[in-house]
Structure formats: C-alpha cells, structure tokens
Amino acid sequence: MRSPKDFFRPLAVGAPAPVREVPFRPSRMIHFFDPGNEKMAAKVPAIAPTVDVLLGNLEDAVAADRKEAARAGLVRTAKETDFGDTQLWTRVNSLDSPWALDDLITLVTEIGDKLDVIMVPKVEGAQDIHYVDRLLAQLEAKAGVTRPILVHAILETATGVANVEQIAGASPRMQGISLGPADLAASRRMKTTRVGGGHPGYLVREDPHADEVAPRATFQQDLWHYTIARMVDACAAHGILPYYGPFGDIKDTTACEDQFRNAFLLGCVGAWSLHPVQIDIAKRVFSPAPADVAWARKVIAAMGDGTGAVMIDGKMQDDATYKQCQVVASLADALAARDPELRDAYAAAEKETPA
Ligand SMILES: CC(C)(COP(=O)(O)OP(=O)(O)OC[C@H]1O[C@@H](n2cnc3c(N)ncnc32)[C@H](O)[C@@H]1OP(=O)(O)O)[C@@H](O)C(=O)NCCC(=O)NCCSC(=O)C[C@](C)(O)C(=O)O
Ligand SMILES: [Mg+2]
C-alpha cells in the first residue's frame, strides 16, 4: 500500500504533479464518436461547440479490424481540431485486450497535451487503476506533458461494483466513474438485452382488491437504482464525479430523458450521448431548472451565514437545506459560465422570483 504521504507524488520522474482536487468542469454529456468512421469524425468540429465533452471511442462498437484506424483517426482529429473549451476524452480498449497498451502509448505521446481524461473500461479493482496510473506518468514524462491526464473508470463488471470504493480512491488521477449497464448486465447474468433503461418484467404489483376482480396496477422499477446509488456514494466519498452512462434505445427519447433525470436527481453530473439526438436531452436534464436555481438562491439569501432555521413559503429551511441549495446554485454558476443561454434563463427566473 502507498503511504498517504506519497499519494500526491508523481509516479515517474518528470511527470506532472497529480491534482489535489478534481476540477469541476461541466460534463453534462460525454458525446461518443467513432474516430475511424470518417463520416462521423467529419462532424466533430461542428459538434464540439454544442457539447461539454467529446469522446473518441476506441473500445466496444469499434470492430476488431478497425481498432488501428480508430486510434489513428483520433490522433488526426485531435491534431486538426480546435476544441475551444470543450474537453477531449477517449475510451481506450480494456486492459485485457491486445490494443490497450498501444492505445495508451500512442495517444499520450501524440496528443497527450490535448487529452483531458482517459476512460478505462471494465475496471475490476484498484490494481487496474494503479497499472494505468504508473504507465500514464511514464508516458507523460516521456512526452513532456505538463498537466496530468485524468482517469475515468467504467463500472461494468460485478467485481468492479464490489470494489467500487477502492476504485474511486485508487489514484489522485481518478476523475469519475460511469455506469456501463450492458456489460454489467452480462457480467451479473441479468436477463436483459438492452443498453440501460428499465424492463417491463421488473415490477411490483399492487395488492389484490377486495372484489378480487379489479385489475391490479403494476409499477415498473428501476433496475439500476442500487448500482447508481452505490456509485454516487463511492464517488462523493472520494471527491470524484459520477455519470449515468449510455442509453441504447436511441429512438425512445422519452425513456432516455427519464433515465438521465433519475441519475441527475440521485447525484450524477452527466450521461453519455451516443447519437446527436441525445445531446440536448442531456443538456436539459443535467442543467438545474431555472425555477429550482432561483429557489436555491432565495434560500441562500434568506439563510445569511447558513445557520439557524427560517420559514420560506411555508417550508422550513435550515443548515442542511442551505447546503442542498448551495449544490444547486454552484452547479448553476459553473454551467452558466459556459452556457450563455442558461445564464440568461437563470437571471430571468431570479428576477421573477419574489424575495
Ligand atoms: C447508434 C449508431 C450506430 C446509429 O448510427 P446511424 O448512422 O444508424 O444513425 P442515424 O440516425 O442514421 O444518423 C444520423 C446522422 O448522424 C450521424 N451520427 C450518428 N451518431 C453520431 C455520433 N455519435 N456522433 C456524430 N454523428 C453521429 C450519422 O453519421 C448520420 O450522419 P449523416 O446524416 O451525415 O448520414 C451511431 O449513432 C453510433 O455508432 N453511435 C455511437 C455508438 C457507441 O459509441 N457505442 C459504444 C458506447 S455504449 C457502450 O459501449 C456500452 C457500455 C457502456 O460499454 C456498457 O454498458 O457496457
Ligand atoms: Mg461496456
């Protein structure tokens, strides 16, 4: 085990010092594209200003015989594109694949100065993060990268879920964790064939009626509640950020929005967009509503130093609701600084809210 005193030391001579706090940068949607698909890659410069994060995907959904083309495509796209203040991430191949090592070596040495975060799939425990951590430090030192590339883990195996707290705290590089519902379902031997979302068979049924004839209502339950809640706690405990992950039914924009909103309310800061149609859904869901932001600011103003209890519109406010309102207001501030439309919507709602 590393001594806590060494935790923030670089893992290679000449590598940049690790961050002490994960910088909070808006990441409402992590937009996936296949860098080896020329048609999709050509859209990247136009999509970049409309998303918080662009992610060049090298892992699943890229066919085995296209892995090298995807890697080369990502290097080319990164070199040729001005991303402005949109983050560039990548998802490398899993550590047990023949491509992961070349992905890391090529990407850090070629475009390490442009990459903000490397997403590592199928992380099973702290040992996977330690492997990537040391390797990244060596490659950063070799390439002269001056700020540390952060690491994001996908929670998509039963073992990974069992070890999620250790994964979250494995390195100061850890930026966040996303749910990977498809691989996780397979790993757990769940009987779903979907990428995220509910299932009509996973339900509770109301009790029989007295006449024993009237139909009994059923209520679909959320298959992912336990995992998301566990992931959120692990991330919050280690000061890193939780994300929902992908929703595979591209045409069902309503259910996508519902699933994203559940994750937002439980503490996630974003989700993946697999198709352009999901970008605005994530933007809408992961930006607090203007009325909620106005309410939060009203409570903060009324609470003064944040201690004591006051009544606002019939509702008791105290130190804890003050903290909840600060979560909403500080998220709104960070998003408004990036999104002028949202800034105006928040300002308008505040004006309309009586003090
Ligand atoms: C679903 C697909 C095949 C439908 O692609 P399509 O071409 O059939 O769809 P379309 O509606 O006809 O597309 C309309 C236009 O949008 C473009 N387009 C379409 N998608 C994108 C995109 N993402 N970015 C930029 N452009 C995009 C597309 O090229 C087309 O352009 P055109 O009008 O000029 O012909 C396609 O959207 C796609 O490949 N998306 C990414 C899929 C992906 O990355 N999957 C892996 C992540 S999920 C996962 O791995 C699971 C996890 C976590 O590991 C675990 O749970 O275990
Ligand atoms: Mg997966």
Side-chain angles (χ1 to χ4, degrees), residues 122-144:
K122 303 175 178 76
V123 172
E124 304 242 86
Q127 69 280 7
D128 291 337
I129 302 301
H130 294 160
Y131 170 82
V132 172
D133 200 6
R134 175 78 76 173
L135 188 52
L136 285 181
Q138 293 168 340
L139 293 168
E140 286 166 343
K142 183 173 176 209

Side-chain angles (χ1 to χ4, degrees), residues 5-350:
K5 282 184 260 165
D6 292 337
F7 194 67
F8 290 105
R9 289 223 179 113
L11 285 173
V13 176
V19 292
R20 290 194 167 247
E21 297 275 342
V22 172
F24 182 79
R25 298 179 64 187
S27 42
R28 293 165 290 181
M29 73 299 291
I30 302 168
H31 183 72
F32 269 56
F33 72 99
D34 173 355
N37 175 331
E38 284 178 17
K39 217 169 92 183
M40 228 189 253
K43 292 183 194 292
V44 162
I47 290 182
T50 70
V51 298
D52 294 336
V53 178
L54 262 172
L55 181 146
N57 175 38
L58 307 184
E59 200 225 7
D60 292 357
V62 173
D65 61 356
R66 301 287 303 154
K67 294 291 185 190
E68 267 145 42
R71 191 192 296 141
L74 179 56
V75 170
R76 200 169 44 248
T77 300
K79 286 188 171 171
E80 288 172 0
T81 311
D82 176 5
F83 296 98
D85 58 1
T86 296
Q87 298 179 61
L88 178 65
W89 295 19
T90 184
R91 176 170 79 168
V92 293
N93 285 285
S94 61
L95 300 179
D96 61 355
S97 77
W99 305 291
L101 183 61
D102 287 341
D103 289 345
L104 291 167
I105 292 174
T106 304
L107 296 179
V108 179
T109 53
E110 294 280 335
I111 55 168
D113 54 338
K114 285 204 142 181
L115 273 180
D116 293 291
V117 174
I118 292 180
M119 188 181 268
V120 182
K122 303 175 178 76
V123 172
E124 304 242 86
Q127 69 280 7
D128 291 337
I129 302 301
H130 294 160
Y131 170 82
V132 172
D133 200 6
R134 175 78 76 173
L135 188 52
L136 285 181
Q138 293 168 340
L139 293 168
E140 286 166 343
K142 183 173 176 209
V145 175
T146 52
R147 47 131 190 78
I149 298 168
L150 302 183
V151 169
H152 182 110
I154 312 180
L155 198 57
E156 53 182 352
T157 67
T159 308
V161 176
N163 293 328
V164 65
E165 288 83 7
Q166 291 165 28
I167 293 168
S171 159
R173 279 186 205 275
M174 282 301 297
Q175 177 273 345
I177 301 181
S178 287
L179 172 73
D183 270 301
L184 182 55
S187 165
R188 284 177 171 162
R189 305 174 70 80
M190 290 167 68
K191 306 303 179 295
T192 63
T193 54
R194 304 169 172 204
V195 180
H199 191 288
Y202 192 69
L203 51 80
V204 291
R205 187 179 302 272
E206 73 175 350
D207 285 355
H209 299 283
D211 62 6
E212 291 183 4
V213 175
R216 293 158 62 188
T218 59
F219 307 90
Q220 210 171 307
Q221 305 294 296
D222 185 354
L223 283 164
W224 304 107
H225 180 269
Y226 154 76
T227 314
I228 293 177
R230 190 147 176 217
M231 175 180 78
V232 167
D233 283 343
C235 288
H238 289 278
I240 70 171
L241 304 172
Y243 295 79
Y244 169 68
F247 187 86
D249 192 343
I250 308 289
K251 290 266 180 296
D252 193 351
T253 50
T254 305
C256 175
E257 178 156 349
D258 293 339
Q259 189 78 61
F260 284 6
R261 184 162 289 106
N262 288 348
F264 171 69
L265 289 170
L266 275 181
C268 292
V269 298
W272 302 6
S273 52
L274 300 185
H275 185 281
V277 77
Q278 295 181 333
I279 293 173
D280 280 342
I281 301 175
K283 191 176 284 186
R284 185 162 62 245
V285 169
F286 289 98
S287 308
D292 293 343
V293 176
W295 168 262
R297 294 203 200 290
K298 183 169 161 170
V299 173
I300 290 168
M303 280 292 294
D305 72 353
T307 64
V310 295
M311 277 280 267
I312 304 180
D313 300 349
K315 298 182 181 70
M316 187 280 294
Q317 308 300 325
D318 68 0
D319 311 46
T321 61
Y322 175 80
K323 287 178 198 152
Q324 289 175 286
C325 289
Q326 279 184 318
V327 169
V328 173
S330 65
L331 175 58
D333 286 343
L335 297 178
R338 176 173 170 77
D339 188 332
E341 246 178 67
L342 209 50
R343 185 194 55 214
D344 294 347
Y346 290 155
E350 220 176 317

